[in-house]
Amino acid sequence: MSHPGIERFETPQISRALFGGKGFFLTKLAEMNYPVPPFRILPGERLRQTGGTLDEIAQLVRELRREAAATMAADRATVAFAVRSSAPVSMPGMMDTLLCVGLTPENVPALTERLGGQETAWRAVVSGARALCVHVAGVPEADLPTGPPERVHSELIDSYEQRTGARFPVEPAAQVKAAVDAVAASWNNRRAREYRAAHGISEADRPSVVVQAMAYGTAATASGSGVVFSHDPLTGMRGLHGEYLPAATGESLVGGTATPANIAVLADTAPAAYGELAATVDELFCWLTLIVEVEFVVESGKLWLLQVRPAVAAERVHNTVTVDAWRAGLLDRPAALRRLRPTALFDRASPHAAAGHAPLLASGIAASTGVASGRLVRDTAAVLAAAGAPTVLLRPSTEPEDFAGMLHATAVVTQEGGSGSHAAVVARELGKPAVVGARFIDPEWPARAGGELVTVCGTTGRIWHGLVPAVDGHAPPWPSDLIGEPLRTTVVDSPDDLPSAEVDGAGAGLVVTADPDLARRAPAGSPIAFVCGAGPADRPWLAELPDIPLRYVVVNSPAQRRFVCTLLAIRETLSPRSETQR
C-alpha cells in the first residue's frame, strides 16, 4: 500500500529508495532528536557492489560502540548489535533479523552489571550465537540445544562449526559481517519471493541493511518491548493503542512467540517512559499525518525508538485518519481530499459474527477485522492441499514461512502474539480475518481438533465451533464538512432538473449524454451534462466521470450524489481554478 505525503520528506541524499523504509525513518527520527540507539545504514546498491568489507564493518562497529557509550551511558563491552533489513517496500517478517550480535562470554561481567543479572547477561550472549547458527549456518530451529546458557553457548559454537566447516566468528566485526551478509541474502529466500509476488514488489529492488546498537528490553528493572499505534488500526479511532511485553526483546513481540499485555501496563511500570512515548507518537502523527506504528524498547525506564512507519490498515481506516488530520488542522483541504479513497468512504464497519449460533471455542486479540468460516488446519501444506476449499489456519505463532498458508486461508488464528506481530500485520495487509493470542476455553481442544468447521471473527477476537452468520457493520459517518459541494459543476438528481435550453457565450448548446466518449467528442465550447448510469449491484452508487470539465452531472441516488461530489471535489484540487468550464 502506498502512503501519500511521505515523499515530501525525501531528498536526493535521504530517501526510501536509497535507505529503505526502516533506514529512512530512523534517519528522520535521529534528525529530529528522538531517542534512537546509534545506527548505520549499508545501502542496498553498495552491498550489491562490494558486500561491505570486513574493514568497513570493523570501523562501523568501533564507531557505534563509541556513540552508544556516549548516548546510552553504556559500557562499550555491553554494546551488541541488531542487524535488520530495510527494503524500499516493507516486507514484515519476510527477511532475516539477527539480534545481540557481537557478544562473547568475555562480555558477560559487563553485561551482568548493565542488565542486572548474570543469567540475563548469558542469555544475551546465547541469543546472538543462536541467531548466527540459524541465519548464517542454517541450523534448523528444532536442532538448537537447550539447557543452562553457558553449556548452550558452547554447543551452539559446535553446531555452527560442524554445519559450516568454518570457525565460529569471535570478533564482533566478524559476527556483524556474517549477519549483514545473511540479512542481504535473505532477500532471495522463498518466503520473501512469495511475498513480493503476492504484492507486486519489484525484484529489481535490493534492501539496505541497518546495523544498530541494542537497547535491552530484558534488563532487570522497568524494561520491555512494545508496538504502539497513533490510532486504532482496526477503526481509525485516535489515541494510543498497542501492546507491551515486559522483560522481553522485540523479537518475541513482532515474531508473535509471546502474547503481550495492553500498553497501559507500561504506564504502571515506567510512567515517565509511557508519558514520553504517548507524546512522541502524537508528535509523529502530526508530522506524518498518517496512522503511525512505532516499535520501541524500554531499558531500565529509558525509552528508545527502534522503528516508525505508516501502519497497515484498511482503506476505510486510512480515510478516517485523513479526516481526523484535516479536522485537527494538520492537512489542508486539497491535501486531505487527494488522500481519500472514494470507494472506501462507502465501506461499512467490519462485520462481526452473530452471538448465540454456535459454541464459543476461544477468545483472543482482534488483529484483523472480518468474519470467515472454514475447516481447521494446522499448517501451510494442509491449506494448499485443500485446493481452494475454505480453511482456517491455526498456528502456535506464525512463522514467515507460513505466508503462503495465510495467503490462501480464509482466516488465521494464533495461540500467541499481539496486534503488532507479523501474523497480525500480514493478515491486515491481506484483508484476512485474524485472531492472535487465542485462549481456548478447553486448552486441550486444539491438540484434538482437526478438520472441524470453525468461524473466526477478527472484529471481536472470538472463534466459534461451527458456522456462524455475520452481521453487517454500521455505515460510517459521511465527512460532508470535508467534501462539501463542487464549485464548478452542478449535480442534479434527474435530467428533468437540467435547464431546458442553455448556451454558452458563443451560442453552443448543452450536450446531454451518458456516453463518456461522446462527451469527449462534443463540439468545443459546448457545456456538458453527463448522466451517470447505475453501478454494479453491490455498489450501485459507483460512477465514472469523463476526464473533461462538466457543467452538470446527473445522478440516480443520494448515495451516488455523495460519490460524485467526492470525485468532483478531488478533481477540483488537481486542476487550476482558472479552468474554463465547457
Side-chain angles (χ1 to χ4, degrees):
M1 178 179 292
S2 62
H3 297 285
I6 294 176
E7 63 278 356
R8 71 189 187 275
F9 303 116
E10 296 181 297
T11 68
Q13 295 76 34
I14 303 174
S15 69
R16 288 167 292 172
L18 290 175
F19 293 168
K22 188 180 284 95
F24 169 75
F25 283 113
L26 281 174
T27 301
K28 302 306 291 185
L29 288 174
E31 284 183 351
M32 294 185 287
N33 294 317
Y34 285 110
V36 177
F39 65 93
R40 291 291 186 277
I41 304 165
L42 301 174
E45 186 59 33
R46 174 180 159 194
L47 288 174
R48 190 193 318 213
Q49 293 173 357
T50 69
T53 67
L54 183 58
D55 286 344
E56 291 173 331
I57 299 296
Q59 178 65 23
L60 175 153
V61 166
R62 288 192 295 270
E63 291 174 356
L64 288 179
R65 283 191 158 171
R66 182 173 62 249
E67 292 173 20
T71 61
M72 305 177 76
D75 186 325
R76 295 188 190 191
T78 67
V79 178
F81 301 96
V83 184
R84 300 182 175 95
S85 64
S86 180
V89 179
S90 178
M91 296 169 51
M94 298 301 129
M95 294 181 64
D96 293 347
T97 293
L98 287 79
L99 302 183
C100 293
V101 176
L103 296 175
T104 71
E106 294 180 357
N107 303 118
V108 168
L111 278 169
T112 298
E113 183 174 348
R114 177 174 175 179
L115 302 184
Q118 187 178 54
E119 184 174 354
T120 305
W122 265 108
R123 284 177 181 170
V125 175
V126 167
S127 179
R130 181 183 291 114
L132 292 169
C133 279
V134 171
H135 300 293
V136 178
V139 178
E141 295 267 2
D143 294 345
L144 295 174
T146 58
E150 292 182 61
R151 189 188 75 202
V152 167
H153 186 264
S154 177
E155 292 177 0
L156 286 170
I157 291 176
D158 290 342
S159 296
Y160 182 99
E161 294 180 347
Q162 291 170 9
R163 189 87 176 187
T164 64
R167 298 282 295 174
F168 182 86
V170 175
E171 290 298 318
Q175 290 190 23
V176 172
K177 165 66 173 165
V180 168
D181 292 344
V183 170
S186 68
W187 172 262
N188 291 313
N189 66 36
R190 178 178 57 82
R191 64 182 184 265
R193 294 196 305 270
E194 290 174 345
Y195 187 91
R196 291 196 294 275
H199 290 81
I201 299 173
S202 172
E203 291 289 334
D205 293 338
R206 281 296 182 272
S208 298
V209 174
V210 174
V211 181
Q212 187 170 35
M214 289 279 298
Y216 294 99
T218 54
T221 306
S223 300
S225 301
V227 177
V228 290
F229 302 86
S230 59
H231 299 66
D232 186 333
L234 303 185
T235 67
M237 181 180 298
R238 189 171 180 181
L240 194 66
H241 287 73
E243 296 156 338
Y244 181 65
L245 195 59
T249 65
E251 186 178 34
S252 301
L253 191 67
V254 299
T257 58
T259 300
N262 187 277
I263 188 61
V265 168
L266 180 61
D268 297 330
T269 58
Y274 177 86
E276 183 181 4
L277 176 66
T280 296
V281 171
D282 199 48
E283 290 172 0
L284 291 173
F285 165 62
C286 292
W287 171 56
L288 283 176
T289 60
L290 296 163
I291 179 172
V292 171
E293 179 182 357
V294 176
E295 292 180 23
F296 68 93
V297 167
V298 175
E299 180 182 338
S300 301
K302 169 64 178 173
L303 174 69
W304 297 99
L305 306 184
L306 303 185
Q307 180 171 206
V308 60
R309 61 187 172 201
V312 172
E315 288 191 340
R316 63 177 175 80
V317 172
H318 285 292
N319 280 345
T320 298
V321 175
T322 293
V323 174
D324 175 33
W326 175 70
R327 288 174 177 161
L330 302 174
L331 287 174
D332 61 25
R333 182 171 178 268
L337 287 169
R338 288 193 291 270
R339 285 195 189 178
L340 288 179
R341 283 80 161 177
T343 57
L345 290 170
F346 291 83
D347 289 349
R348 303 180 74 85
S350 294
H352 62 274
H357 289 264
L360 182 67
L361 285 173
S363 297
I365 297 170
S368 181
T369 58
V371 178
S373 301
R375 297 291 174 181
L376 193 72
V377 298
R378 284 194 173 82
D379 55 40
T380 291
V383 173
L384 300 179
T391 56
V392 171
L393 179 62
L394 170 65
R395 300 287 290 148
S397 63
T398 62
E399 299 291 336
E401 287 76 10
D402 292 325
F403 174 72
M406 297 180 68
L407 182 63
H408 294 283
T410 59
V412 178
V413 177
T414 70
Q415 293 175 267
E416 298 290 351
S419 61
S421 66
H422 290 146
V425 173
V426 172
R428 289 195 291 270
E429 283 186 334
L430 297 175
K432 307 278 186 175
V435 176
V436 297
R439 294 293 178 262
F440 285 81
I441 295 172
D442 176 1
E444 302 301 320
W445 188 88
R448 300 193 305 268
E452 284 86 349
L453 179 65
V454 300
T455 297
V456 176
C457 180
T459 306
T460 63
R462 293 182 175 183
I463 304 151
W464 282 268
H465 194 175
L467 185 65
V468 177
V471 178
D472 285 339
H474 59 79
W478 188 258
S480 54
D481 54 340
L482 170 59
I483 293 170
E485 293 291 329
L487 300 176
R488 286 171 265 162
T489 303
T490 301
V491 180
V492 299
D493 298 320
S494 165
D496 294 338
D497 296 328
L498 294 171
S500 57
E502 178 170 334
V503 296
D504 68 355
L510 180 68
V511 175
V512 182
T513 180
D515 185 338
D517 290 332
L518 182 59
R520 295 185 187 98
R521 296 196 304 269
S526 297
I528 305 296
F530 184 74
V531 181
C532 296
D538 60 334
R539 295 189 294 175
W541 41 264
L542 194 64
E544 184 175 349
L545 303 180
D547 53 351
I548 58 173
L550 301 171
R551 181 71 60 85
Y552 300 95
V553 174
V554 182
V555 297
N556 56 44
S557 70
Q560 191 173 67
R561 168 183 281 272
R562 292 196 297 271
F563 182 71
V564 165
C565 285
T566 303
L567 296 183
L568 292 171
I570 295 170
R571 177 180 291 187
E572 288 177 353
T573 72
L574 300 174
S575 59
R577 288 190 172 273
S578 60
E579 176 188 88
T580 302
Q581 286 193 332
R582 298 186 67 159

